[in-house]
Amino acid sequence: VSDQGERVAILAELARLRIHQLGDLDAGLEDLLRAQKMNPEDPVVTEALGELYRHLGRWSELEQLLLRRGRACADPQLASSLLCEVAHIREDRFGDTEGAATLYRTALNTAPTNLHALQALLRTGRASHDYQAVARLCEALAEMEAGPGAAAALWMAARIYRDRLRNSELAIAA
């Protein structure tokens, strides 16, 4: 086959058959890696690699794959979502809460309306006792939410300012 796109498609299909029909994960992985070398941006190959890495528990490789996808992505929402997925891997699989928090911050900067990133930063901020950051994140959450959700977020920010940071002026302002 002379067309590279066609070769990539054939390798991806061969990998699918080896993995799902024959149960030969290693051979399927080799096929996918060869296809990826030919076309690193092919969405079918990238998705199949991601699924296989998850299945095999190859978290470092999955992390790198997701980071490359995020860098190549023009859609800020999708890029932010991919960064959150990498952060989740860092946090849960490697126990790197600080590294995860950095990625969650980048995800939130990439797409300021990413509620998942904001909630994850709230969780990691509480775990690290960074109450100043948690209070600011609560205020940001209140801007995204409406009604009772916004009120609850502001109440949480006010309590943190008052009880943890001992700043009654900021508590009243929240």
Side-chain angles (χ1 to χ4, degrees):
V1 178
S2 61
D3 179 66
Q4 187 167 322
E6 199 173 320
R7 283 194 308 246
V8 169
I10 289 169
L11 281 170
E13 180 60 21
L14 180 60
R16 189 188 69 72
L17 290 171
R18 287 185 178 181
I19 292 166
H20 297 291
Q21 301 299 317
L22 302 175
D24 191 348
L25 303 180
D26 292 331
L29 179 59
E30 286 177 29
D31 292 334
L32 289 171
L33 290 172
R34 283 182 26 222
Q36 183 190 40
K37 222 175 239 183
M38 289 181 206
N39 183 358
E41 307 302 318
D42 185 277
V44 172
V45 172
T46 302
E47 189 62 34
L49 267 173
E51 287 176 24
L52 189 54
Y53 286 152
R54 274 185 200 85
H55 180 75
L56 295 171
R58 294 177 71 166
W59 306 113
S60 293
E61 289 94 337
L62 178 59
E63 191 177 59
Q64 292 308 309
L65 179 76
L66 295 170
L67 285 171
R68 278 193 308 274
R69 278 185 64 197
R71 279 189 226 109
C73 184
D75 176 10
Q77 293 296 334
L78 180 57
S80 180
S81 177
L82 291 166
L83 284 167
C84 283
E85 194 172 346
V86 173
H88 182 74
I89 292 168
R90 283 259 171 101
E91 188 175 11
D92 287 355
R93 300 297 176 174
F94 299 118
D96 182 6
T97 305
E98 190 175 309
T102 299
L103 286 163
Y104 287 128
R105 273 191 293 279
T106 303
L108 191 59
N109 289 337
T110 302
T113 59
N114 185 331
L115 191 57
H116 177 73
L118 182 62
Q119 290 170 335
L121 277 170
L122 282 167
R123 185 182 69 252
T124 59
R126 280 190 206 106
S128 66
H129 306 288
D130 186 356
Y131 296 114
Q132 184 73 40
V134 171
R136 285 192 310 267
L137 289 165
C138 286
E139 291 175 319
L141 179 60
E143 290 178 19
M144 284 187 208
E145 295 282 337
L154 288 174
W155 175 250
M156 188 183 306
R159 288 186 53 206
I160 291 169
Y161 284 130
R162 184 192 69 200
D163 300 341
R164 299 287 184 175
L165 301 174
R166 307 279 186 234
N167 189 327
S168 56
E169 288 178 24
L170 288 176
I172 292 168

